[in-house]
Each structure stands twice: as structure tokens, then as C-alpha cells.
Amino acid sequence: MSDTDRKNPGDEDASGTKQTGENICPTCSGSGRISEKPCPDCGGSGRITAIVGDA
Ligand SMILES: [Zn+2]
């Protein structure tokens, strides 16, 4: 139950997976909030895990 294992709806893959990187959440633009509520895509962190590999 560690934070690094948690996957948010906006994550393209699990954190720590090969060819992934941290990106600003496009849903909330990194604020972590939408209309004063925690952003559902990033879980309020303002960042998502995105796949950066080009293969
Ligand atoms: Zn967000």
C-alpha cells in the first residue's frame, strides 16, 4: 500500500514501469484540483505517470 504503487485514472502506466515519466496532469494543469475538488485523474497530486517510450 505504498504511494509509488498507486495508479491514478490519469496514469498511462504504473509508476516505476520502464519507459514512463512523470508529467503534469493535463486535466488539472498540475494544480491537482478541479473546481476546488481533488482532480480525479491524478488523485490530487497534479502529476501523472506517462509512457515516454517511442517504440
Ligand atoms: Zn490532475
Side-chain angles (χ1 to χ4, degrees), residues 1-6:
M1 290 285 278
S2 75
D3 275 356
T4 50
D5 289 82
R6 196 178 57 198

Side-chain angles (χ1 to χ4, degrees), residues 25 28 39 42:
C25 174
C28 62
C39 172
C42 62

Side-chain angles (χ1 to χ4, degrees), residues 19 52-55:
Q19 294 191 315
V52 296
D54 57 2

Side-chain angles (χ1 to χ4, degrees), residues 25 27-28 31-46:
C25 174
T27 305
C28 62
S31 68
R33 303 182 79 78
I34 295 217
S35 298
E36 299 185 11
K37 291 195 289 191
C39 172
D41 275 2
C42 62
S45 69

Side-chain angles (χ1 to χ4, degrees), residues 1 4-5 9 15 21-22 25 29 32 41 47-48 50-51 53:
M1 290 285 278
T4 50
D5 289 82
S15 182
E22 212 168 57
C25 174
S29 299
D41 275 2
R47 287 171 310 222
I48 56 149
I51 297 171

